[in-house]
Amino acid sequence: MVARVATLYPNTLLVTGPCSTPAEIADLTAHAFDVSDQLGVNTVVATSTSHLVSDYAGVAVVGPSLTSGTKGRQMDIVATVLEAEALAHRVPVIVPQATTEAASCDACGQWQTIATVRNHHGEVFCVDCRGAAPGCSWCLIDEESEPVYTGTGFAPMCAPCADVEKVRRPSPWNLSTSERTTSPIMTA
């Protein structure tokens, strides 16, 4: 039996999946954005097995998973190793939910693709509309936040903290969706 100790990054999910090509890394990074945005947590993108999964609050897997039952699809070696380590260390694993489970928030319309939560009436509400969003991961103010790319993943930040981090770490990932689709870096 593996003893569970306090995690080094208690509000951070390690996001893993196919990462062999630049396109796969971009997809993995985009998924990390969705995880941070929809769950209100920090994320770290794992493109190698050098991470200690027991340091994180959980592991989010993109694509085929050991536990998702997606048979017949080739799993990525990095994702396979990290998910197996998470299971061995009893670290929670978030596997891809079925496309049919995705739904939009009844209050704001945000599309929920990671872990759709329904109340006892079957209504879908995002973490912000449920009032369960933890707020800014930097200043800890309980205010609306946005995921900001930090160099290795995303962190939910309030507008003032986001402005500071965007200046400190200019990145195409910190552009709006419309700016990202026209950015020469993101379209290359």
Side-chain angles (χ1 to χ4, degrees), residues 30-69:
H31 189 77
F33 173 91
D34 290 343
V35 170
S36 184
D37 189 34
Q38 293 176 34
L39 301 181
V41 297
N42 297 319
T43 58
V44 171
V45 177
T47 58
S48 73
T49 59
S50 64
H51 299 273
L52 295 173
V53 296
S54 58
D55 287 347
Y56 297 90
V59 174
V61 180
V62 179
S65 151
L66 293 172
T67 56
S68 68

Side-chain angles (χ1 to χ4, degrees), residues 100-116:
T100 56
E101 295 174 3
S104 63
C105 173
D106 288 347
C108 72
Q110 181 192 49
W111 195 247
Q112 303 295 295
T113 59
I114 306 303
T116 302

